[in-house]
Amino acid sequence: DAFILRFLRARKFVSVEAFKLLARYFEFRQNNPSIFKNFIASEPDIKASLYDGLPSVLPNCDQNGRRIIVLFAANWEIGRYQLNSIYRAILLTLEKLIDDEANQINGFVFIVDWSQFTFSQSRSLNPKVLKQMVEGLQVSLKLLNLVKLQKCNSLRFSPREMCLSSILKFFSIEYRKAFPEKENSTSV
């Protein structure tokens, strides 16, 4: 019962919408079994990611009661763990946070700070994992803020960077759809 209530609360008890969310949740888990294998905080790569604050959860909520999850992209030590480990740590954090009824109702704000993110780190971005991240995070997040996104005008963009660009553009469009009154915001 508590499990089903998560989805009902997230969709304000509109049963059709809650069912769609539940179906997407199970579809994502079924299509990505490797993400959920050894899905515990003590798994070495997840543990390393969490230790580096990828992600961090702020102790206070925003003005709308949403939990604030922060990710400082520059903290990623590419030699210690892969992007997939960060993603698994994010999903594990969300799974833990969603146990709280208030989080089920209010949702989350996810802030990504790209300042000091290096070219070397950007070369380690995996397009397949980025795509999985977009698909999986669509299920849980109502708002994503990207802070201090650096421009690389002088560099030629690789397919990996173009994928990142597409993802960032997607989040920007989704943000504008969800929050049209904040269209002039520079945080996305």
Side-chain angles (χ1 to χ4, degrees), residues 38 40-52 54 76-77 79-89 92:
N38 243 356
I40 53 175
S42 60
E43 194 275 326
D45 287 349
I46 293 175
K47 186 176 181 177
S49 177
L50 291 169
Y51 181 77
D52 287 348
L54 299 167
W76 177 23
E77 292 188 33
R80 289 183 49 215
Y81 47 87
Q82 297 179 359
L83 179 62
N84 190 49
S85 300
I86 297 170
Y87 181 46
R88 294 178 72 217
L92 188 63

Side-chain angles (χ1 to χ4, degrees), residues 24-42:
R24 284 197 319 263
Y25 174 84
F26 278 113
E27 180 182 18
F28 182 77
R29 287 185 75 102
Q30 187 175 16
N31 291 341
N32 301 284
S34 63
I35 292 174
F36 301 99
K37 184 179 179 187
N38 243 356
F39 195 56
I40 53 175
S42 60

